[in-house]
Amino acid sequence: MNTISTIGGTMATDGRNVYNSLSVNKTAPKVEVETPMPTTAAEVLQNMEQSKADIEASAKELQRLSDMVTGHKLHFNVNSELNKIVVTVVNASTNEVIRQIPSEDVQRIQARMKHAIGVLFDEMI
């Protein structure tokens, strides 16, 4: 029997529906939110400050762990404009920067995109 795929089953070319053994879930999955969305600007600011503090603590811990490893030095910093960790790989003997992740160009692009999104959208729904 020749079949044509449709949503929720398969239709035979003679017009009969043939259902496979797979059941189709008709309900949407439930999404559980761990923390409620902030309702005031003060809550948003507090969440941002906590997030920045968490990122800075993570950067310090990564720096401490990388100091234990020999070879190239790794420097972990936080880009305050983006609130993201920036890793700089440095030659241990010459202190020359080998690579920065993400690069300066990528950081500038991300900052511009963040600014453009802020200009387009001024409120979260």
Side-chain angles (χ1 to χ4, degrees):
M1 168 183 345
N2 294 329
T3 59
I4 301 170
S5 177
T6 61
I7 297 176
T10 306
M11 179 174 279
T13 53
D14 61 357
R16 293 181 297 167
N17 283 331
V18 179
Y19 292 94
N20 10 354
S21 61
L22 298 174
S23 64
V24 178
N25 186 2
K26 303 279 184 192
T27 61
K30 294 181 180 179
V31 178
E32 294 183 23
V33 178
E34 293 179 10
T35 57
M37 293 295 291
T39 56
T40 64
E43 289 177 4
V44 171
L45 184 59
Q46 181 181 9
N47 289 349
M48 288 175 61
E49 288 173 355
Q50 180 62 40
S51 176
K52 185 176 180 181
D54 291 344
I55 290 171
E56 288 175 350
S58 296
K60 286 180 183 178
E61 181 65 17
L62 287 170
Q63 183 67 54
R64 186 185 69 77
L65 292 172
S66 73
D67 289 342
M68 294 179 193
V69 180
T70 60
H72 297 302
K73 291 184 193 176
L74 297 176
H75 295 280
F76 295 90
N77 300 311
V78 177
N79 181 324
S80 59
E81 187 175 3
L82 300 173
N83 287 333
K84 292 188 176 184
I85 295 177
V86 177
V87 181
T88 307
V89 181
V90 179
N91 186 333
S93 59
T94 64
N95 286 334
E96 177 186 357
V97 175
I98 297 171
R99 172 172 272 188
Q100 187 173 1
I101 305 167
S103 68
E104 289 287 335
D105 294 335
V106 171
Q107 290 180 56
R108 277 195 298 274
I109 290 170
Q110 288 176 337
R112 287 180 185 162
M113 289 174 65
K114 186 176 179 180
H115 177 72
I117 289 171
V119 169
L120 293 173
F121 304 103
D122 60 349
E123 137 182 354
M124 185 170 29
I125 298 175

